[in-house]
């Protein structure tokens, strides 16, 4: 086993399929967990507290912020979203791969806090597929879709800041790509100092 | 596909099982090749020219050196051993993973020439296994075996210079470890700039 867990960032533009790929990857495994974000926005009917998000009051969220108990946070449309620190550190101490599904801005903050973080950018296989996915999602007007495409393009320009790129041509391939990356990262020398020392010291 | 091939260094102490693991890994695959070294030592009966080594005269080897056509070389027991440059560059241009099975000193030289090289250190799973493998190999005296163990220990101290460590507990696990590392490295962002640009430019 490696000396400790691995922190993994997964980002990708809207329409890249992050949720589907992540669910496929996590299905049935116990050595990797996704970090559940905290939010002040209202819970939707189909959402479960502690699964989709930790749903909290703005007052509670701001208290956590002031106590430095959030890894990163951002505000969208008047609601706060962020990653609580404690569960991440606990899962890492258990040797798990902890996956943060976060935006590009959040990724920048995490890299500063955890220099050994492994960052993965999920890409659609082509511009056509991206557009179809954004169109298929709901019946929004042309203007909204074009706006989403422009944002996706801007986000993909930041792919170079990530260690790895995984192409989501099929959910299976993309999930296998994430698994391969984590399995390889577990073999990084700096994550195996203990076992190397153990062999050397017994010669 | 990635923009180009991947150069991989595989090192490990005598007794770590490099040849067995490499043969298992390469078996039946066409996307990875091991680089054949050149040597001035005499061909043994069971060896095949162009498979085990390129067997050449000292004069020929030194000519290649003077023409800067060797990636690295070293002299052991009066014989020259080295890696010819041209076949490596050809296989990389074909998009293959090219594996250099070389010593630690050679690895240092390759890192300077190819900063993107991926280096893997093959470790025995324990000191006991290492000792058993060195003993099992032939009927050498205690002094020779102790000398080999000291050298292996020194070599393992350099494992930290390598990107990855693969533990050779079983040949299957170790070969799968090399495969996982290469598959992950093919997903490094800097090796996928073309496909990223293609998607972005078509949005």
């Amino acid at each position: 086993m490696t000396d400790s867990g691995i922190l993994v960032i997964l980002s990708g533009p809207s329409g890249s399929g992050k949720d589907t790929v992540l669910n496929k990857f996590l299905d049935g495994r116990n050595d990797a967990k996704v970090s559940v974000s905290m939010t002040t926005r209202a819970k939707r009917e189909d959402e479960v507290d502690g699964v989709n998000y930790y749903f909290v009051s703005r007052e509670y969220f701001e208290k956590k912020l002031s106590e430095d108990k959030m890894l990163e946070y951002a505000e969208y449309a008047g609601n706060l979203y962020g990653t609580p620190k404690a569960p991440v550190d606990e899962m890492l101490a258990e040797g798990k791969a902890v996956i943060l599904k976060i935006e590009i801005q959040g990724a920048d903050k995490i890299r500063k806090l955890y220099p050994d973080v492994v960052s993965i950018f999920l890409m659609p296989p082509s511009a056509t597929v991206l557009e179809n996915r954004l169109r298929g999602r709901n019946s929004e007007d042309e203007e909204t879709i074009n706006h989403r495409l422009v944002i996706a393009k801007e986000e993909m320009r930041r792919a170079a800041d990530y260690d790895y790129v995984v192409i989501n041509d099929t959910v299976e391939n993309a999930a296998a790509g994430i698994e391969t990356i984590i399995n390889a990262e577990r073999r990084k020398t700096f994550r195996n100092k203990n076992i190397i020392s153990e062999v050397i010291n017994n010669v």
Side-chain angles (χ1 to χ4, degrees), chain A residues 22-33 179:
Chain A
L22 210 46
N23 286 340
K24 179 79 188 169
F25 166 70
L26 291 168
D27 187 32
R29 64 191 314 150
N30 194 35
D31 59 344
K33 294 269 174 193
E179 183 169 21

Side-chain angles (χ1 to χ4, degrees), chain A residues 26-125:
Chain A
L26 291 168
D27 187 32
R29 64 191 314 150
N30 194 35
D31 59 344
K33 294 269 174 193
V34 69
S35 152
V36 177
S37 295
M38 190 179 277
T39 184
T40 62
R41 89 156 157 70
K43 189 172 91 60
R44 290 173 194 148
E45 216 166 82
D46 59 340
E47 289 178 327
V48 179
D49 186 38
V51 175
N52 303 93
Y53 286 98
Y54 295 110
F55 296 96
V56 301
S57 67
R58 190 167 189 107
E59 192 189 355
Y60 184 87
F61 198 115
E62 288 176 344
K63 184 166 173 284
K64 292 292 167 190
L65 278 179
S66 70
E67 293 169 355
D68 198 26
K69 289 189 170 159
M70 301 298 285
L71 284 182
E72 54 84 39
Y73 79 102
E75 186 152 6
Y76 299 102
N79 293 307
L80 294 166
Y81 295 80
T83 307
K85 197 171 185 300
V88 169
D89 288 339
E90 274 165 35
M91 291 186 285
L92 288 176
E94 289 166 7
K96 293 197 196 306
V98 181
I99 299 169
L100 308 180
K101 194 191 70 178
I102 52 177
E103 306 296 319
I104 287 162
Q105 296 76 9
D108 289 338
K109 291 178 196 168
I110 299 292
R111 279 190 199 93
K112 278 173 200 137
L113 287 167
Y114 296 84
D116 294 341
V117 69
V118 175
S119 59
I120 303 176
F121 196 86
L122 190 69
M123 285 278 288

